[in-house]
Amino acid sequence: MKIICIGRNYTEHIREFDGGEPSREPIFFLKPDTALLRNNDPFYIPSFSREVHYETELVVKINRVGKCIAERFAYRYYEEVGLGIDFTARDLQREAMAAGLPWEPSKAFDYSAAISPNFVKLSDLGAGIDDLSFEMTLNGQLRQRGECARMIFSVDRIISAVSRFMTLRMGDLIFTGTPAGVGPVAHGDVVRATLMGRPMLEFEIR
Ligand code: MG
């Protein structure tokens, strides 16, 4: 399986990130399967970064094989969603971007893709993909709130765009981009996240 991550998908996050313009097409990058952090296991801050940020994102699980998927048929390729944290070594990312180098060291490191233990069917949530909302708290304080209706590129648009370049397979995960409010984590922090009010993630930073 592969983990596909979308960047620059919420206007307010682009503003806080670099103040640049939204892109014309979805921007994506990959994390390897060794990046997965499951079962609410603790996240250990890696020694190579002094500034690891959380990015809370809706995660869509692909449930069939597809390539060059038309946007209007994209809904057929998923039915379950979860939440994830796209952990980012922001200091390394800034250095890489400034030097025009790839982002992988800052984004694809081990355990940088935390996912909720459970994924939920959209039918059980009683909402369409574009009507979902999620929240993340750090030590009980609200830090991020995402509404899919505010995404620059919808989930269906993302699936259509990415599948032009690479075949999607059952079990692939798409991190759909972070809303505003990203920030650093520190030893002892507790991350919690809810999807439509349902607890999905709860783990500790070590
Ligand atoms: Mg992200």
Side-chain angles (χ1 to χ4, degrees):
M1 58 82 66
K2 56 187 171 292
I3 303 164
I4 297 158
C5 301
I6 305 300
R8 308 178 77 86
N9 204 21
Y10 289 85
T11 305
E12 294 82 1
H13 171 65
I14 295 175
R15 201 169 291 147
E16 74 178 357
F17 184 64
D18 63 9
E21 293 295 313
S23 55
R24 294 168 61 90
E25 289 292 321
I27 293 174
F28 66 93
F29 56 91
L30 300 181
K31 296 191 189 225
D33 57 3
T34 43
L36 282 177
L37 180 66
R38 304 172 187 268
N39 302 319
N40 283 329
D41 285 346
F43 174 82
Y44 288 85
I45 297 175
S47 58
F48 50 74
S49 176
R50 294 178 171 209
E51 190 185 4
V52 173
H53 279 199
Y54 57 82
E55 297 186 356
T56 312
E57 310 192 9
L58 181 81
V59 181
V60 176
K61 187 181 283 185
I62 297 297
N63 65 1
R64 49 190 288 209
V65 176
K67 183 171 175 61
C68 293
I69 300 163
E71 185 175 342
R72 68 184 185 282
F73 296 132
Y75 71 93
R76 298 178 180 174
Y77 291 81
Y78 59 87
E79 71 174 333
E80 291 185 333
V81 294
L83 290 183
I85 308 288
D86 166 17
F87 281 109
T88 304
R90 195 69 78 200
D91 46 355
L92 300 190
Q93 186 191 32
R94 283 202 202 96
E95 287 171 20
M97 290 176 76
L101 294 171
W103 295 6
E104 269 80 358
S106 69
K107 282 287 195 180
F109 58 88
D110 286 354
Y111 309 119
S112 62
I115 56 167
S116 50
N118 297 306
F119 278 62
V120 189
K121 288 185 179 175
L122 286 169
S123 53
D124 290 341
L125 289 169
I129 191 86
D130 298 325
D131 300 321
L132 299 178
S133 63
F134 55 93
E135 290 185 344
M136 178 271 201
T137 64
L138 195 68
N139 306 321
Q141 288 190 315
L142 181 65
R143 292 296 180 90
Q144 291 197 279
R145 177 175 167 77
E147 294 172 63
C148 294
R150 299 175 72 90
M151 288 179 174
I152 295 171
F153 301 107
S154 69
V155 169
D156 290 354
R157 177 78 194 282
I158 290 166
I159 287 173
S160 175
V162 172
S163 69
R164 286 181 61 209
F165 299 98
M166 55 184 70
T167 301
L168 299 183
R169 285 185 173 152
M170 190 183 306
D172 286 351
L173 298 175
I174 302 179
F175 279 60
T176 57
T178 184
V182 303
V185 291
H187 295 273
D189 284 346
V190 176
V191 173
R192 291 192 185 86
T194 59
L195 174 63
M196 304 295 276
R198 292 183 181 215
M200 297 291 285
L201 273 173
E202 178 172 352
F203 62 93
E204 196 180 326
I205 308 293
R206 290 187 189 163

